[in-house]
Amino acid sequence: MPTSQAKPFDIPKQEVWEAYRRVAANKGAPGVDRQTIEDFESDLKNNLYRIWNRMSSGSYFPPPVKGVEIPKPHGRGVRLLGVPTIADRVAQTVVAMHLEERAEPRFHPDSYGYRPRRSALDAVEACRQRCWKKDWVIDLDVEKFFDSVPWDLIVKAVEAVCETPWVLLYVRRWLAASLQLQDGSLVERDKGTPQGSAVSPILANLFMHFAFDTWLVRNHPGVQFERYADLCRRRHKSAYAEDRIMPMSRSWTRI
């Protein structure tokens, strides 16, 4: 569908429609406005037009993200997820699709999380094949990654693959969106990207691509790895891994 030349940002309406289709297929819980996907679809045409009109005008501002606590496995506390509204999820997906198209060709083949036609099982299979060939394995998890990743480095990673002004504008706004807790209070944030939002996976992958994958390939080209989002296993032929790489990993994972 053609876009109006009066709008400062050229965002095709078809992209908003495709974003809605993906959101509808994923279902998902309501956000702070308590609007379900069925509620949203009861006035679908106007709701999608409103998203497109505001995004194209530069006047779209995200509502607070609903904070939902879920228990971690094995009684290790709780994980705080961020649940956007249905409309905000559509808007985020518009940006996520735009970024994904530009970032995918750059990503390392051993990055498996949140990518088209890749899964955790693919990472497990690569791990299974390599475990017979290496003597040392490092298993790491970036501590509180989604809660603590620095905004300036996320934006820098986005700028490295995309110069589209409206994408950068809305990424910055989503990063700064407040979090509404279960008691209704609002929490202002200064770092992190809500785990559970539609745009967070591509932002996380972009950050990890430059901060981990590219760094490892540049500094330790002989080290193989399988990464799924902020989880990674690396394989080495000798204790060099323990002596040289592991201390750097411990420091790096405390972002």
Side-chain angles (χ1 to χ4, degrees):
M1 299 180 188
T3 58
S4 170
Q5 296 303 311
K7 303 293 183 184
F9 299 135
D10 184 20
I11 303 176
K13 290 181 179 178
Q14 187 60 40
E15 291 189 12
V16 179
W17 172 256
E18 175 59 25
Y20 152 71
R21 287 182 63 253
R22 297 190 185 190
V23 170
N26 288 335
K27 304 296 181 182
V32 295
D33 61 358
R34 300 182 180 179
Q35 185 183 52
T36 65
I37 189 68
E38 291 78 17
D39 296 333
F40 185 85
E41 290 173 338
S42 67
D43 192 17
L44 183 60
K45 181 178 179 180
N46 286 329
N47 283 329
L48 293 182
Y49 176 82
R50 190 177 297 113
I51 294 169
W52 170 81
N53 186 47
R54 291 177 180 175
M55 291 189 74
S56 299
S57 302
S59 60
Y60 180 82
F61 288 89
V65 177
K66 180 181 178 181
V68 178
E69 291 183 345
I70 62 170
K72 290 184 178 180
H74 313 298
R76 295 182 300 170
V78 297
R79 175 180 289 111
L80 184 63
L81 297 184
V83 181
T85 64
I86 301 298
D88 196 37
R89 224 170 292 167
V90 173
Q92 289 188 27
T93 303
V94 172
V95 169
M97 292 190 305
H98 192 89
L99 276 176
E100 185 179 278
E101 181 180 352
R102 288 150 183 79
E104 265 298 313
R106 295 172 176 252
F107 285 157
H108 194 279
D110 281 316
S111 167
Y112 295 93
Y114 311 127
R115 296 183 61 189
R117 298 172 297 280
R118 288 172 176 261
S119 69
L121 291 179
D122 294 323
V124 170
E125 176 60 21
C127 174
R128 189 182 71 84
Q129 294 292 334
R130 291 168 174 169
C131 70
W132 301 102
K133 303 175 183 179
K134 306 290 183 178
D135 297 326
W136 287 76
V137 177
I138 296 176
D139 188 358
L140 66 89
D141 179 357
V142 183
E143 185 177 4
K144 297 181 179 179
F145 173 78
F146 285 93
D147 297 330
S148 61
V149 60
W151 288 352
D152 60 327
L153 297 184
I154 289 182
V155 172
K156 187 176 180 180
V158 172
E159 290 174 332
V161 301
C162 179
E163 298 178 348
T164 309
W166 57 270
V167 169
L168 296 170
L169 171 69
Y170 292 126
V171 164
R172 289 188 175 97
R173 288 182 183 175
W174 279 312
L175 289 174
S178 57
L179 185 71
Q180 182 174 303
L181 302 181
Q182 291 175 308
D183 62 3
S185 60
L186 293 178
V187 176
E188 301 301 324
R189 303 177 305 107
D190 58 8
K191 57 187 175 182
T193 179
Q195 189 172 4
S197 73
V199 77
S200 286
I202 185 65
L203 297 182
N205 260 346
L206 276 169
F207 175 86
M208 292 294 290
H209 170 73
F210 290 106
F212 182 82
D213 302 354
T214 303
W215 172 84
L216 194 63
V217 169
R218 181 175 62 247
N219 292 281
H220 305 280
V223 175
Q224 293 178 312
F225 68 91
E226 302 89 38
R227 182 176 64 79
Y228 192 91
D230 58 334
L231 304 172
C232 182
R233 283 183 172 81
R234 300 184 292 185
R235 291 174 187 3
H236 316 267
K237 289 186 176 179
S238 70
Y240 170 86
E242 187 72 18
D243 296 337
R244 294 290 304 277
I245 300 179
M246 196 61 183
M248 288 184 281
S249 297
R250 293 192 185 103
S251 173
W252 181 83
T253 53
R254 293 193 295 271
I255 294 176

